[in-house]
Amino acid sequence: MLELYHNNISVCAQKVRVVLAEKNQQWTDHHLSLARGEQLTPQFKAMNPRGVVPVLVHDGNVIVESSVICSYLDEVFPDPPLMPKSPLERATMRLWCKLPDDILHMACATVSFAVSFGLQLKAQMGAGLEERLMKMPDPARRDRQRALIEKGIETPFFRDHIKVFEKTFGEMEAQLGKTKWLASDAITLADIELTPYVERIDRLGLSAMWDNRPRLADWFSRIKARPSFKAISDYPPTDYNDTGRDGRKHWPRIKELIAA
């Protein structure tokens, strides 16, 4: 039995749902409201002390960390495979899969909160915002969110994090000139784990970042055409709304920050 504790627009949860869809696996849905802090309850933190989604429960065994969950699902349900056979292609895949954990996920949180989520959370929580922030177990993450809520895209570290996306998209464009997908000529975990981050930038209204990257634009079109993409598109926002293309009004300034 598979159970998934997730959130509709969590990028980490999205990639796990896509893997489950690629594997044609059924799962029991446990949706958590991140805005209401349901991932910070003692009951959930007993499963994952970090207080983040997703969490997979497979036959009573708890697996945390989205990249670990994706690899676990590919091993437990090997058909269809999402890992290349060639050792070199596997190494390439693993490098792409490291990227979200190393830096891209933090960059995504920064850009999302600066462009859209910060103001939404402030409006939703009102006078309870500080109490909500203080419940976060990671003080550094709490301080970053507070700064982004207050200063938006002018937060000093926003420029560095939007440049992470600029660099990533340039690297994707280059790789897609060598292989059909990011690690090989077949789709792998590399493509799935990067998909939610590209989708988030699109939903935030910043797709101009690949206007001059035709291979990346084609890759994204092929990703969205796959049936498994419904694991993202069929789960509309319920807490934060990342579909408003809010970044369009900020694009001239963001473009300046990227070029700086």
Side-chain angles (χ1 to χ4, degrees):
M1 179 181 179
L2 289 167
E3 301 175 75
L4 184 66
Y5 292 79
H6 70 116
N7 176 268
N8 283 2
I9 66 165
S10 158
V11 287
C12 293
Q14 286 173 340
K15 63 185 181 182
V16 171
R17 293 200 307 263
V18 173
V19 172
L20 286 164
E22 290 281 348
K23 299 291 185 178
N24 297 308
Q25 292 297 315
Q26 301 298 312
W27 48 278
T28 300
D29 186 323
H30 300 285
H31 185 268
L32 279 69
S33 169
L34 304 185
R36 292 198 298 270
E38 291 178 356
Q39 80 282 15
L40 302 175
T41 64
Q43 294 86 350
F44 183 76
K45 288 169 71 175
M47 288 193 296
N48 186 356
R50 290 190 61 212
V52 295
V53 294
V55 168
L56 181 75
V57 180
H58 183 206
D59 294 338
N61 298 305
V62 175
I63 301 98
V64 301
E65 298 296 329
S66 58
S67 295
V68 174
I69 295 171
C70 289
S71 295
Y72 174 84
L73 289 170
D74 193 49
E75 292 175 353
V76 174
F77 305 105
D79 187 33
L82 292 174
M83 184 175 290
K85 293 182 178 179
S86 158
L88 181 59
E89 290 178 343
R90 287 191 179 198
T92 302
M93 184 202 77
R94 290 186 178 110
L95 283 173
W96 284 109
C97 289
K98 270 176 53 67
L99 191 58
D101 293 339
D102 286 350
I103 192 169
L104 192 59
H105 185 73
M106 185 178 292
C108 184
T110 293
V111 173
S112 299
F113 263 82
V115 170
S116 189
F117 293 1
L119 290 177
Q120 291 180 39
L121 183 61
K122 186 175 183 179
Q124 290 170 15
M125 299 304 298
L129 177 60
E130 186 61 24
E131 180 182 356
R132 159 72 168 74
L133 290 171
M134 291 306 296
K135 288 182 179 179
M136 297 176 67
D138 182 348
R141 187 172 174 223
R142 178 176 63 234
D143 291 344
R144 288 195 302 269
Q145 282 199 10
R146 184 183 286 113
L148 291 163
I149 290 168
E150 293 173 355
K151 298 179 181 179
I153 66 170
E154 299 303 332
T155 307
F157 54 84
F158 174 83
R159 182 182 67 178
D160 292 337
H161 285 180
I162 194 66
K163 284 187 172 184
V164 168
F165 276 101
E166 176 71 8
K167 183 174 184 291
T168 298
F169 294 157
E171 291 170 349
M172 292 175 73
E173 180 73 10
Q175 179 61 38
L176 291 165
K178 304 172 186 176
T179 51
K180 181 178 179 180
W181 298 95
L182 285 177
S184 73
D185 287 335
I187 193 169
T188 70
L189 290 176
D191 304 283
I192 292 172
E193 296 206 24
L194 269 293
T195 288
Y197 297 93
V198 180
E199 168 71 355
R200 173 61 58 80
I201 291 298
D202 184 38
R203 288 186 177 193
L204 290 174
L206 301 177
S207 61
M209 294 185 74
W210 54 82
D211 277 352
N212 296 317
R213 292 173 171 136
R215 290 189 288 265
L216 174 55
D218 174 70
W219 173 89
F220 191 39
S221 294
R222 287 185 281 120
I223 285 285
K224 291 188 290 185
R226 295 182 72 82
S228 63
F229 189 74
K230 291 183 178 181
I232 296 177
S233 61
D234 283 2
Y235 289 79
T238 51
D239 291 328
Y240 307 115
N241 185 355
D242 65 344
T243 64
R245 304 296 195 269
D246 294 336
R248 287 176 177 169
K249 61 180 177 287
H250 299 296
W251 176 242
R253 176 57 176 153
I254 291 173
K255 192 174 181 179
E256 288 178 357
L257 292 171
I258 291 172

